[in-house]
Amino acid sequence: MDIHELIGDVIAREGGYSDHPADRGGPTNMGITQAVARENGYGGAMRQMPRAFAEKIYRKLYWEQPGYAFVAEQAPRVAAELFDTGVNMGTSVASGFLQRALNALNRNQKDYPDLKIDRMIGARSLQALGAFLALRGSAGETVLLAAIEALQGERYIALAESRPANEAFLYGWLASRIAQNG
């Protein structure tokens, strides 16, 4: 698990500068919205935002703060998916997907207690992940990853259904975020 590689993959997938009229995020560069760039101290033109600045934001906001580095110690593929999903949908959404999937896979709390869906990775979420993996092994990580991706795919479709302008992005979301892992 190399966060530099994950960040590089996300930047390659997100591309350079964009200001698509249907994108509520407004001007973005390397997947970083202008609002996020400004909140993190970048005041220049979005077209000229340095790659190193984007990398710093990705590491801080989408890897370290949500606790995905700790997830990576137990389930590196799940951590990589949470990182990518967090970049695209927000880390609270990605973390909630993990918690929901773990709850659904605990066999009515026989394997570990249900988690409160607080959309934050903390000690209880990490304990539940560890208990799940101890029981299910490496195959469990694959199944957990599939559950998270199923939740993500459903959310993309719901976004397109609730806001027709999002249909401009649906194919790309599914192709680059779901189908690429399948």
Side-chain angles (χ1 to χ4, degrees):
M1 172 63 47
D2 180 58
I3 185 57
H4 298 292
E5 185 177 326
L6 291 176
I7 291 170
D9 290 348
V10 163
I11 289 174
R13 194 167 29 259
E14 291 290 338
Y17 178 80
S18 173
D19 192 8
H20 194 288
D23 187 349
R24 288 183 174 171
T28 66
N29 195 352
M30 295 172 273
I32 304 294
T33 65
Q34 182 171 298
V36 169
R38 300 290 186 253
E39 288 168 10
N40 286 275
Y42 181 71
M46 287 303 292
R47 283 188 195 275
Q48 278 74 49
M49 185 176 68
R51 180 182 173 109
F53 195 86
E55 290 172 350
K56 180 179 159 189
I57 289 174
Y58 279 127
R59 175 183 285 280
K60 176 184 168 192
L61 298 183
Y62 301 97
W63 186 251
E64 293 170 357
Q65 282 183 358
Y68 300 154
F70 297 115
V71 173
E73 293 173 8
Q74 298 182 61
R77 292 184 300 143
V78 168
E81 179 62 31
L82 294 175
F83 171 75
D84 187 65
T85 302
V87 166
N88 193 247
M89 295 184 161
T91 58
S92 65
V93 172
S95 298
F97 286 168
L98 174 63
Q99 292 172 329
R100 289 177 60 201
L102 286 168
N103 282 353
L105 291 165
N106 72 1
R107 298 184 314 147
N108 297 311
Q109 301 189 71
K110 290 179 185 167
D111 300 330
Y112 47 88
D114 274 342
L115 297 166
K116 177 182 175 193
I117 309 298
D118 61 8
R119 299 161 50 122
M120 296 185 295
I121 303 301
R124 291 197 62 210
S125 296
L126 293 170
Q127 288 168 354
L129 176 61
F132 174 76
L133 294 171
L135 178 68
R136 300 294 185 179
S138 63
E141 185 176 6
T142 300
V143 169
L144 183 58
L145 186 59
I148 292 167
E149 289 179 343
L151 291 166
Q152 183 181 11
E154 192 283 327
R155 183 171 169 97
Y156 285 134
I157 290 171
L159 288 169
E161 290 171 338
S162 68
R163 183 173 177 258
N166 284 334
E167 287 185 16
F169 308 112
L170 181 60
Y171 183 89
W173 288 336
L174 294 172
S176 68
R177 294 295 199 310
I178 305 295
Q180 60 132 1
N181 295 323

